[in-house]
Amino acid sequence: MRLVLGIETSCDETAVAVIDRDGAVLSSVVSSQVATHAPFGGVVPEIAARKHLEALAPVLDQALDEAGIELGDVSGIAVTRGPGLIGCLLVGVAAARTLAVARGLPVVGVNHLEGHVVSGWLEAPDLPHPALALVVSGGHTALWRVPEPGRYVQVARTRDDAAGEAFDKVAKLLGLPYPGGPAIDRIAEQGDPAAFPFGEVRIKGPPAFSFSGYKTAVRDLMRRHAIAPLAHPDDEPPRPIVDLVASFRHAVVRELLRRVRREIERDRPRSLVLAGGVAANRLLRAEFLRLADEHGLAVAVPRPAYCTDNAAMIARAGLPRLLAGGNDLDDIEAEAALPLGGPEARRTSRRHR
Ligand code: KG4
Ligand code: ZN
């Protein structure tokens, strides 16, 4: 096993990457569909699947090109098989299987969430275990213990909206551009995080995150303070909106870190990982690094290109299984719902459904 090809098509990014057996990234190409879905204010699954079909071959060519290799140099393939949009996953899985058959290569199916977790090791190969990994994206928000490489124990996950989804929905309420996370983050830098009150989320039962209450709180505050959404997404936001998004961002970050801090105190990990698209958030990054520092822990906050959906993390997640001689060619299946973290996590998620 010399070079691994990673393929990711679970949502609205078509991505292909090449890494070597030590996990070094030779190329990582991502073609985003954000502009395609922006007019709809969210990802349209049918359009996304069709766009993957169009984009995959050119993205593959570019990834091989940038790595300076040919398809014949690849020795194994790792592809996202779930969780995600089923029509989108099928495009990647079919492509991976086709390449594997045509070239006589092993192929392994990867859990997208494992990809996000191991992006910490793409950035910091020597990050020690046990680790604690927080994945925050537009589709997922969950916390895992990683006692050793390849083992994941889910500590908590969101029971309603993902953190990124909350950013996107609040941005929509306020008439800000899509996707909302980056817009809110930028505007919040100028605002007063203490201007508007957001209570702490109280949850009964097993540890979990919840963000839908913040969206309701924003709607109520808009009504109570007569804050109108922007007439046009590019308008200069007035003071009350600037302060409102600063307060909202502060509350979401506080909520995420509260759970992480509690778990650090309970489980005493040696390192922390922050990943997923929301890890681009300036306040979250800064506070997460501070939390690690406070507890004297090693920390990986991957560069944004490894935090948002990409195929390097998928190749990295598949690498150990390919190195061990694994091959899923005959039974690889795309699955829209695919938990990460063993039976403990599965029990929790069923109760929440
Ligand atoms: O990981 P990702 O690219 O796609 C998913 O797998 O969901 O994450 C995209 C999400 C979107 O919800 C976007 O609004 C959010 O990440 N996001 C941010 C920031 N940048 C992206 N949220 C908060 N602050 C940011 N700076
Ligand atoms: Zn993702």
Side-chain angles (χ1 to χ4, degrees):
M1 192 58 48
R2 214 171 62 80
L3 298 174
V4 174
L5 187 75
I7 299 178
E8 154 65 38
T9 63
S10 67
C11 189
D12 59 344
E13 258 94 36
T14 314
V16 179
V18 178
I19 69 168
D20 71 14
R21 58 174 295 131
D22 299 320
V25 181
L26 275 63
S27 69
S28 178
V29 177
V30 178
S31 164
S32 173
Q33 305 177 4
V34 165
T36 306
H37 301 287
F40 305 100
V43 178
V44 184
E46 292 79 4
I47 297 178
R50 204 174 59 225
K51 285 272 160 192
H52 283 305
L53 267 178
E54 291 168 14
L56 195 51
V59 169
L60 170 64
D61 285 345
Q62 194 184 334
L64 295 172
D65 221 48
E66 287 183 14
I69 65 163
E70 289 173 14
L71 199 50
D73 299 322
V74 170
S75 33
I77 303 173
V79 60
T80 305
R81 74 174 192 94
L85 301 168
I86 191 71
C88 297
L89 292 164
L90 284 168
V91 175
V93 168
R97 295 194 72 228
T98 307
L99 288 171
V101 171
R103 296 277 162 176
L105 297 173
V107 55
V108 294
V110 168
N111 186 311
H112 179 82
L113 298 170
E114 180 175 10
H116 275 304
V117 171
V118 303
S119 69
W121 283 267
L122 269 183
E123 194 66 72
D126 298 325
L127 200 70
H129 294 81
L132 184 64
L134 177 66
V135 174
V136 270
S137 75
H140 308 279
T141 296
L143 184 64
W144 283 274
R145 283 184 211 137
V146 191
E148 61 194 27
R151 242 187 86 209
Y152 308 94
V153 179
Q154 188 177 276
V155 177
R157 65 170 201 143
T158 183
R159 49 166 67 177
D160 41 60
D161 294 347
E165 199 177 353
F167 275 96
D168 295 339
K169 286 179 175 172
V170 164
K172 205 169 180 177
L173 286 176
L174 291 165
L176 300 172
Y178 169 89
I184 288 183
D185 195 21
R186 184 170 25 86
I187 296 165
E189 292 286 303
Q190 314 301 325
D192 173 9
F196 292 95
F198 283 85
E200 278 192 2
V201 179
R202 299 202 183 284
I203 292 176
K204 292 206 184 76
F209 296 106
S210 172
F211 295 102
S212 68
Y214 290 134
K215 181 187 58 198
T216 314
V218 167
R219 197 183 288 124
D220 289 349
L221 286 165
M222 287 174 72
R223 198 176 306 129
R224 202 166 336 134
H225 297 271
I227 300 172
L230 297 184
H232 191 275
D234 298 330
D235 289 352
E236 188 71 27
R239 193 76 229 163
I241 288 191
V242 174
D243 285 341
L244 183 54
V245 298
S247 303
F248 163 75
R249 179 180 72 158
H250 173 78
V252 170
V253 169
R254 181 191 61 193
E255 179 62 17
L256 288 166
L257 293 191
R258 190 166 64 111
R259 176 76 44 219
V260 176
R261 177 174 285 114
R262 205 175 287 174
E263 188 56 27
I264 291 172
E265 282 157 11
R266 182 175 313 163
D267 200 52
R268 301 278 162 207
R270 293 177 66 202
S271 66
L272 299 182
V273 174
L274 175 66
V278 182
N281 189 274
R282 289 172 236 197
L283 182 66
L284 179 58
R285 287 176 91 89
E287 292 294 310
F288 197 84
L289 291 171
R290 204 165 59 186
L291 185 65
D293 192 51
E294 198 181 294
H295 288 84
L297 302 175
V299 60
V301 182
R303 69 197 73 176
Y306 294 159
C307 279
T308 53
D309 286 352
N310 67 89
M313 68 182 192
I314 302 303
R316 179 64 186 76
L319 179 65
R321 288 195 37 227
L322 286 165
L323 284 173
N327 190 359
D328 301 338
L329 181 63
D330 294 327
D331 46 20
I332 191 166
E333 246 179 83
E335 286 195 50
L338 186 65
L340 176 71
E344 188 177 318
R346 242 169 259 136
R347 258 202 313 281
T348 315
S349 59
R350 203 171 299 134
R351 204 175 306 139
H352 287 179
R353 225 172 269 145

